[in-house]
Amino acid sequence: MAVGVLALQGSFNEHIAALRRLGVKGIAIRKPEQLESISSLIIPGGESTTMAKLAEYHNLFPALREFVKMGKPVWGTCAGLIFLANKATGQKTGGQELIGGLDCTVHRNFFGSQIQSFEAEIPIPEIADKEGGPPSFRGVFIRAPAILEVGPGVEVLADIPVSSEKSSSPVTLQGEEEKAGSEEKVIVAVRQGKLLATAFHPELTADFRWHSYFLKMANEAGDEASSSSSTINEGSSSLLSERTPNDLPIFQ
């Protein structure tokens, strides 16, 4: 089994390394024709404007949109989430080109600038149920986006509380209005069919459950004869080693 990783800019090497730890080959994708040789794709975090300019330069947008349209599994992390969204707010003047396909509205740089990067413990009931391990995941948010609205076909996999200054109105989760006086939250991970998106960077941790979850999505969509699904299931929990602490603040 091989997974394509868009390798224009950003943390693509970290995704390839995480895949290798799970016994899967990651293929760096830089040209449209390379998409023809893979059945699933990861769009990594990075500087979304730079990535968009490089993708446009290499004429990748038509091929990426077709890849999504064909129903092939795609996972976007941070900048990759912005690319997959049907609509993005908080754009720079002139905006940037999007791939689309994910029925949501994303706020670019929702959590602030680079110096406002942080880590937070995120409840992940769906991932923990499927992949085992702790009930939460330590998300690394670097100049991170957030999902403000989702369509009816989008499953919310994770959200975190936000201060009232961050959100002037309650975020709608799966079409349900927040109750008066309840804690306001913003969505940071979703799934819609074969599309997966996270506002944080799982590739920067030693917890590979999100990668394992995505690989199972890819298995379900494509190679039914592959035995890698059972191997991933058995090995993912044992790889939840302690990662080296860094200086990012904990989000309260």
Side-chain angles (χ1 to χ4, degrees), residues 7 12 25 51 55 60 66 85 93 95-96 136 141 150 174 232 237 247:
F12 57 88
K25 182 180 180 181
M51 290 173 67
L60 269 161
E66 183 62 25
T93 303
Q96 69 179 58
S136 65
F141 293 79
V150 297
Q174 295 179 303
I232 293 163
S237 296
D247 297 326

Side-chain angles (χ1 to χ4, degrees), residues 22-228:
L22 292 172
V24 175
K25 182 180 180 181
I27 299 175
I29 303 296
R30 296 184 175 92
K31 297 180 180 180
E33 56 267 26
Q34 290 178 292
L35 290 169
E36 298 173 6
S37 64
I38 60 170
S39 58
S40 59
L41 177 70
I42 296 174
I43 304 176
E47 212 297 307
S48 60
T49 302
T50 301
M51 290 173 67
K53 288 180 179 178
L54 289 168
E56 187 174 3
Y57 177 80
H58 291 287
N59 196 32
L60 269 161
F61 277 109
L64 288 169
R65 292 192 184 104
E66 183 62 25
F67 195 91
V68 170
K69 195 178 296 184
M70 291 172 66
K72 294 184 177 182
V74 181
W75 174 20
T77 64
C78 196
L81 158 61
I82 297 171
F83 275 111
L84 288 178
N86 283 344
K87 182 180 179 182
T89 63
Q91 298 271 50
K92 294 180 180 179
T93 303
Q96 69 179 58
E97 202 164 353
L98 302 174
I99 297 168
L102 186 60
D103 187 12
C104 70
T105 299
V106 170
H107 189 294
R108 191 175 178 273
N109 296 342
F110 178 87
F111 294 102
S113 65
Q114 191 85 9
I115 62 171
Q116 293 170 300
S117 300
F118 64 93
E119 295 186 12
E121 289 293 333
I122 309 166
I124 51 164
E126 168 71 11
I127 305 302
D129 181 61
K130 296 288 176 61
E131 302 299 327
S136 65
F137 179 89
R138 193 168 184 83
V140 179
F141 293 79
I142 302 175
R143 201 180 176 187
I147 300 170
L148 303 181
E149 297 176 344
V150 297
V154 179
E155 178 185 4
V156 175
L157 299 178
D159 54 58
I160 60 174
V162 293
S163 64
S164 56
E165 301 87 61
K166 269 290 178 193
S167 178
S168 58
S169 61
V171 176
T172 301
L173 300 181
Q174 295 179 303
E176 296 182 5
E177 293 296 326
E178 293 280 343
K179 295 179 180 178
S182 65
E183 190 175 46
E184 294 181 12
K185 295 182 178 182
V186 67
I187 304 166
V188 293
V190 295
R191 176 177 178 178
Q192 179 185 332
K194 298 305 177 186
L195 298 180
L196 178 67
T198 55
F200 45 92
H201 290 260
E203 75 279 8
L204 300 184
T205 78
D207 186 338
F208 302 117
R209 287 179 291 171
W210 287 94
H211 288 83
S212 176
Y213 182 81
F214 178 67
L215 290 174
K216 291 193 179 88
M217 285 175 53
N219 281 338
E220 292 167 3
D223 197 351
E224 297 294 336
S226 172
S227 61
S228 59

